[in-house]
Amino acid sequence: MSIRIAQLACALVALLATREAVAQDHAHHQMSAPPAKEATENVDHSKMDHSKMDHSKMDHSKMDHSKMDHSKMDHSAMGHDTAVADTPLTPIPVLTDADRAAAKPPAHAHPAHDNTIQSLVVFNRLEGFDSDEGTGFAWEGQAWIGTDLNKLWLRTEGERVSAHTASANVEVLYGRAIAPWWDLVAGVRHDDHPNGSQDFAAIGIMGVAPYKFEVGATAYIGQAGQTALELEAEYDVLLSNRLILQPMVSLNLYGKDDVRRGIGSGLSSAEAGLRLRYAFTRQFAPYVGVVRHWTFGRTADLHRSNGERINDTQVVAGVRVWF
């Protein structure tokens, strides 16, 4: 019996010790709460450095702005009021009669300037030459007068050797523009030769091909059924704004022999030249160069029978002018 009383006494002592421990623990929690509340109420936000806060990680989607009362906010102290200037920074000039007249449309249609009469004279070659057959003088030029669509052309070329006219021709043509930079021409040509003259009816085309090649092709029908075709092309290589290298080539073909003038059928002759000019002005450009002449086939045979050279090289010097 004394043993059971002793066990009950020990259990009672243990129970009392446990309740005291629990009471001390709750007392600890009740004592720590007030300092946290005091810290929250006494925080001075004016001394906080907000510049180092990372607002990018804040989730604003869960904030309820509907309960915010903006009616008590004083926006007058935020400095949004901007003074409006009474006068513009840049003064507006006073309108004049000329300003009012420029704002009105013209009383009549604007006149076109592409149908006026214009003219141009160009001598591509005015040159002296020195060859195996002697010295001489040669020319090649053209002129036109008219509008952009319709022109009257005058073309001429020839040469004189030892004070005698070796060959010369002149053409009078009507030109009609068929495309930008291209004219269809038709007219007559007169050839002057020491052994006899001849007239031709002419039709051809002339203009500027892509990459600025100046080309021309003209077909001729002459007296006694003589036919001919002349092809030529030249190009300006701009070595500088004033120094220009001009290669050129021309071919002459005939339909039948003309023994009197030393012309054979087929490819009759060819010429290739290379001239270097310096443009002191756009209208005046002296040059030097070299020109090579060839004769072929029946024409070469006729030249041999007359004691003439079939090929020849000339050193030339001249001037290119236009006005």
Side-chain angles (χ1 to χ4, degrees):
M1 183 66 180
S2 59
I3 295 174
R4 290 181 61 91
I5 293 172
Q7 291 176 346
L8 288 173
C10 293
L12 180 59
V13 172
L15 178 62
L16 292 174
T18 302
R19 289 189 61 183
E20 185 179 0
V22 172
Q24 290 179 356
D25 185 56
H26 287 182
H28 173 75
H29 286 289
Q30 289 173 0
M31 292 177 67
S32 59
K37 182 179 180 180
E38 181 179 0
T40 304
E41 292 176 351
N42 297 328
V43 172
D44 185 2
H45 290 273
S46 62
K47 297 181 180 179
M48 296 180 65
D49 184 6
H50 293 269
S51 60
K52 297 180 180 180
M53 296 178 67
D54 185 7
H55 294 272
S56 60
K57 297 180 179 180
M58 296 179 66
D59 186 6
H60 293 271
S61 61
K62 298 180 179 179
M63 296 179 66
D64 185 7
H65 293 272
S66 61
K67 297 180 180 180
M68 296 178 67
D69 184 5
H70 294 273
S71 61
K72 298 180 181 180
M73 296 179 66
D74 184 6
H75 291 270
S76 61
M78 298 179 69
H80 290 293
D81 295 338
T82 303
V84 179
D86 296 334
T87 57
L89 297 177
T90 303
I92 300 175
V94 179
L95 287 177
T96 63
D97 293 339
D99 296 332
R100 296 186 181 91
K104 296 180 180 178
H108 52 79
H110 190 73
H113 299 290
D114 60 349
N115 205 31
T116 57
I117 302 297
Q118 304 291 332
S119 63
L120 179 68
V121 178
V122 181
F123 278 95
N124 288 320
R125 292 187 285 277
L126 285 175
E127 63 189 24
F129 63 83
D130 184 14
S131 66
D132 295 336
E133 295 184 348
T135 59
F137 175 78
W139 72 91
E140 187 275 325
Q142 60 188 22
W144 61 262
I145 183 171
T147 65
D148 287 348
L149 293 178
N150 303 288
K151 294 185 179 69
L152 179 64
W153 288 86
L154 182 66
R155 301 192 304 200
T156 180
E157 63 179 330
E159 65 178 26
R160 289 176 59 85
V161 179
S162 301
H164 297 285
T165 301
S167 64
N169 66 65
V170 60
E171 295 176 275
V172 181
L173 307 165
Y174 163 72
R176 173 73 177 182
I178 56 175
W181 309 103
W182 289 96
D183 279 11
L184 180 67
V185 295
V188 295
R189 165 178 160 175
H190 175 76
D191 279 6
D192 189 13
H193 193 273
N195 297 328
S197 302
Q198 187 166 8
D199 295 323
F200 294 89
I203 185 170
I205 189 171
M206 56 190 299
V208 180
Y211 300 100
K212 297 183 178 180
F213 284 91
E214 295 187 21
V215 299
T218 309
Y220 302 95
I221 300 178
Q223 299 169 335
Q226 177 66 284
T227 58
L229 176 64
E230 183 180 87
L231 306 173
E232 58 185 359
E234 62 184 36
Y235 185 73
D236 284 349
V237 182
L238 273 66
L239 303 179
S240 71
N241 288 338
R242 294 181 180 273
L243 194 61
I244 302 167
L245 183 66
Q246 184 191 60
M248 62 81 62
V249 62
S250 66
L251 302 173
N252 291 286
L253 300 94
Y254 287 87
K256 65 179 184 180
D257 295 344
D258 186 349
V259 178
R260 181 174 55 107
R261 299 198 302 158
I263 297 174
S265 61
L267 178 59
S268 172
S269 62
E271 177 183 317
L274 190 64
R275 294 172 174 84
L276 180 64
R277 69 174 184 264
Y278 185 84
F280 286 99
T281 66
R282 297 185 63 188
Q283 290 82 8
F284 180 80
Y287 63 81
V288 295
V290 60
V291 180
R292 178 71 174 174
H293 296 270
W294 297 272
T295 55
F296 306 97
R298 178 62 175 159
T299 301
D301 295 338
L302 294 174
H303 280 228
R304 290 191 189 93
S305 62
N306 295 330
E308 300 174 355
R309 301 178 63 87
I310 60 172
N311 300 320
D312 189 22
T313 301
Q314 299 176 346
V315 177
V316 301
V319 62
R320 180 183 188 270
V321 296
W322 64 267
F323 51 88

